[in-house]
Amino acid sequence: MNEWHILFTGVGRRVELVQAFREASLVLDKRLKLYGADSSFLAPASAYCDFYRQVCGMQEDGYVSELLDICRKDGIHLLIPVIDTDLLILSEKKHIFEQAGTKVLVSDPDKIRICRDKNLTAHFFTDCGLNAPASVSDWKKYSCGFPAFIKPKDGSSSINAFKMENQTELAVCAERIGDYIVQPFISGTEYTVDIFADFHGNPVYIVPRIRLAVRAGEVLKTQITMDRQIMEECAKIIEKFHPCGPLTVQLIRDGNHTDHFIEINPRYGGGAPLSMKAGAKSAEALLGLLDAERVCYKRQIHEGAIYSRFEQSVCMKTGRTLPVKGVIFDLDDTLYPEKEYVKSGYQAVAGYLGQKDLAEMMWRFFLDGKPAIDECLKQTGREDELEECVKIYRSHQPLIRLYDGVAELMELLKSRGIRTGIITDGRPRGQENKLRALGLDQMAEDIIITDRLGGSQFRKPCDIAFRIMARRWKLPCENIIYIGDNLCKDFQAPAQLGMQWLWFLNKDSLYYSGTPEGMDYVTDMYELQKRI
C-alpha cells in the first residue's frame, strides 16, 4: 500500500496516541494520513491529525452511517475507537465497515459486553483462573465487610466510583448511582497492563506498569515493571479473550503479593503511549500488520522507566487576533502557480529530447494522473533516457511568475517592519531555482527549505522549521501568521504551536479538493494585504 489512512473515533484528548502513530510512520518510512472524528470541533487531538471530521453523538441513530460515509469518501483503511462509548456498536457493525474496505480495530461483541458489564468482567477473570473481587448488584446483599467499593456497572474513567466506609454510606451512594456493583475494597499497589495483540488475538506486547499517580481514572505518573507473575496472568486473559489489537487490564496487588483483577478495556488506554515510549511499539506493529508483515511477541521493554504526564494547550480557534509581527508563506501554489513549474519542466525535457511537441504530450499524461515523463519515453521508445530526463526536470531553470500582488505585499510588510519568511518542502536545488526565478530570494527575509534540515522527514506537517523561524525571529508564535494552500499538511504545525494561520484558497492548486465549511480563507494576495 502506498499510503495508509487511519481514522480515530472519539479522538478527544488523545494527542499522545496520534503522535505515536505519526512517529511510527516516520520510523518505518510509511506514508500515513491520520483522521480524527469527534462530535466537537474543540477536540484538541484533532489539531494533530491530518484531517478532522465532525460527527454526531455516538449514541445517535446516524452515527454509524456518518462514519461509513467518511470511510468511503476518505478511503479509510483502519478505524480505531479510543473510548468505551462506541466499542459495542462498532464491533456489531464491523462487517459493514469491512464491506466498505475499512478494518475496525475492535474485539468481538461478546467480549465487549464482558468489559461493559462489571459483573461479567469479574466472572470472566474467575473463569481465567484469576482472582477478582466478588461483586453484587444489590447493596443489601453485600456481606464482605467494609470498606467496600461501589461503581457503575458500565462505568469508565472512575466516574461515580467510591470507597464506602459503612452500610449507611453505601445505601445513599447506591441510590444515587442506580445501576451499580459493590465489591470489597482491595488495598495495595495498582497496576495497569497495556496489551497489544495481532488481528488474530496473538500477543505482541504485554507491559505491566505501576500507577504511581492517577487523576479521574487516568494515569499521571507510571513506572514500567516487567513483572513475570502479572505477565503470565495476563497471558491467560489473552488466551481466553482473543483481543483484536489493544487491551488494557487493571489490577491491584495486595500485601500478600496476590493480584486482584478489577477492570478490562478492549481499547487503547489513556496511558498506552507511555508503554510505547518504553519500547512496546504497538503503533509500529499495527502498521506492519496492515502491510501483512509477521509481528512476533516481544519482551524488549525499558524495565523501571518512569513517565510523568502533563497538560498542554492547543489553540482551536483564535479569539481576538493578536498583532502580526511575522508572516511565513508556503511557496508552491501559494506565491506562484505550481502548474507553471510543471509545464516549464516538461518544456526543458522536450528540449533535451529534441521534440518540443512532447511537452504537450507530457502535460496530457500529467492531467490524467500518470507519471508523465515515464509515459512519454515509453511512447517514443526512449526509456533508457529516463534518469537524465528526470535530472533535467528537477534542475532546470524554470519559467514561472509570482501571483499578482505578491511583490507588493512583500514590500508592504517590509515597510511596516513585519518579518517575512518562506517555509517550503522539496528537493533543495529545485526549490532554490524556483526562489531565484521568482526573485523571492531577495524579497523574503528568511527562507527554510525543509529538506535541507536533514531530509524529507522534516517536511510539513513536521513543526521543526516553524520552531526555527520563530526562534530566529525571537517572536512569540501568537504574533506569527502562516499562509498556505494545502489543507493536507500546511496548517497542523502552526496550529499546534499557537500561530495564526490563513488558508490561501487556490482553486487552481494541485491539491485543491473543495472548500470545507467554516474555513477561514483568502482568495488573492490583495485580500491578504487587507487581512494582515
Side-chain angles (χ1 to χ4, degrees):
M1 179 65 66
N2 291 329
E3 182 175 270
W4 291 109
H5 293 186
I6 294 179
L7 171 66
F8 297 96
T9 63
V11 68
R13 294 159 51 89
R14 295 303 191 90
V15 173
E16 285 179 291
L17 184 62
V18 172
Q19 289 176 323
F21 275 83
R22 181 83 65 201
E23 182 178 341
S25 70
L26 293 172
V27 170
L28 299 176
D29 195 25
K30 294 179 184 288
R31 294 181 62 186
L32 180 66
K33 286 289 182 290
L34 298 177
Y35 295 71
D38 203 280
S39 60
S40 171
F41 77 94
L42 296 176
S46 65
Y48 292 79
C49 295
D50 296 302
F51 300 98
Y52 166 66
R53 300 290 183 254
Q54 190 164 5
V55 293
C56 66
M58 292 178 175
Q59 303 302 318
E60 295 183 34
D61 292 339
Y63 179 65
V64 170
S65 61
E66 285 189 18
L67 283 183
L68 271 170
D69 189 48
I70 292 169
C71 290
R72 292 189 181 109
K73 288 182 178 178
D74 293 324
I76 301 298
H77 301 104
L78 180 68
L79 188 154
I80 304 178
V82 294
I83 61 175
D84 295 329
T85 314
D86 63 350
L87 289 175
L88 182 57
I89 189 170
L90 291 179
S91 180
E92 291 174 336
K93 304 295 184 181
K94 197 172 181 177
H95 63 287
I96 298 177
F97 285 89
E98 289 181 349
Q99 289 170 5
T102 302
K103 187 171 186 64
V104 184
L105 195 69
V106 68
S107 298
D108 293 336
D110 61 324
K111 302 303 193 302
I112 304 296
R113 293 187 183 93
I114 288 172
C115 302
R116 297 299 292 155
D117 185 325
K118 299 299 188 289
N119 279 318
L120 297 178
T121 305
H123 292 313
F124 174 78
F125 286 135
T126 302
D127 290 343
C128 291
L130 306 175
N131 297 305
S135 62
V136 296
S137 299
D138 183 350
W139 69 270
K140 296 174 185 176
K141 297 180 180 179
Y142 177 72
S143 59
C144 294
F146 291 89
F149 197 72
I150 186 171
K151 57 185 176 181
K153 189 171 70 174
D154 62 349
S156 62
S157 302
S158 296
I159 297 172
N160 285 332
F162 304 103
K163 178 182 178 182
M164 300 287 101
E165 298 294 346
N166 53 59
Q167 195 170 38
T168 301
E169 288 183 4
L170 182 60
V172 172
C173 200
E175 179 70 22
R176 190 177 101 184
I177 296 175
D179 199 9
Y180 59 84
I181 66 166
V182 184
Q183 300 173 324
F185 181 80
I186 307 296
S187 179
T189 303
E190 293 187 36
Y191 290 81
T192 291
V193 187
D194 295 316
I195 295 169
F196 182 79
D198 64 19
F199 298 142
H200 305 291
N202 302 306
V204 179
Y205 293 108
I206 303 174
V207 184
R209 49 185 174 83
I210 300 173
R211 293 159 65 89
L212 300 175
V214 179
R215 182 180 65 196
E218 192 157 306
V219 68
L220 295 178
K221 301 174 184 177
T222 195
Q223 181 173 12
I224 305 297
T225 173
M226 301 301 287
D227 185 282
R228 182 174 295 276
Q229 175 177 315
I230 293 176
M231 294 171 71
E232 290 175 353
E233 290 168 334
C234 286
K236 297 178 181 178
I237 294 173
I238 296 170
E239 184 178 358
K240 203 170 188 65
F241 196 95
H242 299 293
C244 176
L247 195 67
T248 304
V249 175
Q250 291 184 18
L251 63 113
I252 299 173
R253 175 169 288 176
D254 65 21
N256 297 318
H257 211 71
T258 299
D259 296 331
H260 303 265
F261 287 79
I262 57 174
E263 197 89 31
I264 183 167
N265 292 305
R267 57 171 173 79
Y268 278 112
L274 306 179
S275 291
M276 295 185 198
K277 291 178 185 292
K281 306 292 186 180
S282 60
E284 292 182 22
L286 186 51
L287 293 180
L289 290 170
L290 287 175
D291 276 330
E293 297 172 6
R294 187 169 179 267
V295 180
C296 301
Y297 180 44
K298 301 177 181 179
R299 297 174 178 266
Q300 299 87 353
I301 310 299
H302 304 315
E303 168 72 35
I306 297 177
Y307 297 94
S308 184
R309 306 171 78 192
F310 65 95
E311 298 283 359
Q312 182 172 310
S313 63
V314 58
C315 181
M316 305 304 296
K317 183 178 181 181
T318 57
R320 182 179 64 85
T321 302
L322 297 175
V324 173
K325 297 181 180 180
V327 181
I328 302 173
F329 295 93
D330 172 50
L331 174 59
D332 301 310
D333 272 335
T334 298
L335 298 179
Y336 83 99
E338 190 171 4
K339 287 179 180 177
E340 284 192 1
Y341 176 79
V342 175
K343 289 180 178 178
S344 175
Y346 293 158
Q347 288 167 4
V349 173
Y352 162 77
L353 295 172
Q355 293 178 255
K356 291 185 177 181
D357 60 324
L358 294 181
E360 183 60 32
M361 178 190 291
M362 285 183 273
W363 180 247
R364 288 197 302 270
F365 283 131
F366 173 80
L367 294 178
D368 290 338
K370 298 177 180 178
I373 297 176
D374 302 59
E375 291 295 328
C376 176
L377 294 177
K378 287 179 184 177
Q379 291 280 342
T380 55
R382 300 174 69 170
E383 294 96 327
D384 58 333
E385 298 181 75
L386 176 61
E387 185 177 347
E388 184 62 26
C389 287
V390 171
K391 181 180 177 182
I392 288 169
Y393 178 88
R394 291 175 178 172
S395 62
H396 83 283
Q397 298 301 316
L399 299 172
I400 51 179
R401 60 175 179 82
L402 290 170
Y403 281 125
D404 292 341
V406 171
E408 296 94 323
L409 177 58
M410 289 288 190
E411 188 61 34
L412 178 64
L413 295 174
K414 184 178 180 180
S415 69
R416 292 181 178 177
I418 297 175
R419 313 293 291 268
T420 58
I422 295 172
I423 294 177
T424 180
D425 299 333
R427 294 177 178 84
R429 185 175 178 183
Q431 298 306 98
E432 287 168 354
N433 288 344
K434 295 175 188 177
L435 292 163
R436 281 194 296 270
L438 296 166
L440 289 169
D441 57 333
Q442 301 300 315
M443 295 183 201
E445 183 178 348
D446 283 293
I447 297 173
I448 296 176
I449 300 173
T450 56
D451 286 41
R452 283 216 179 277
L453 298 176
S456 60
Q457 66 267 34
F458 289 93
R459 294 178 181 178
K460 293 168 273 188
C462 178
D463 66 0
I464 291 177
F466 293 89
R467 291 180 182 273
I468 290 173
M469 195 75 83
R471 182 73 61 89
R472 187 179 290 171
W473 289 348
K474 298 181 180 179
L475 287 177
C477 288
E478 294 81 2
N479 292 116
I480 299 173
I481 189 169
Y482 177 71
I483 316 296
D485 73 290
N486 189 343
L487 291 176
C488 179
K489 65 173 184 175
D490 275 345
F491 304 111
Q492 296 158 46
Q496 293 164 19
L497 295 173
M499 291 181 180
Q500 302 174 52
W501 56 271
L502 196 57
W503 181 34
F504 179 54
L505 194 167
N506 182 356
K507 292 186 177 181
D508 197 42
S509 164
L510 293 180
Y511 302 101
Y512 178 72
S513 59
T515 308
E517 290 185 15
M519 185 67 65
D520 194 15
Y521 62 86
V522 293
T523 56
D524 60 52
M525 290 297 157
Y526 297 110
E527 185 181 355
L528 185 56
Q529 288 181 29
K530 299 173 185 176
R531 297 289 293 273
I532 296 179

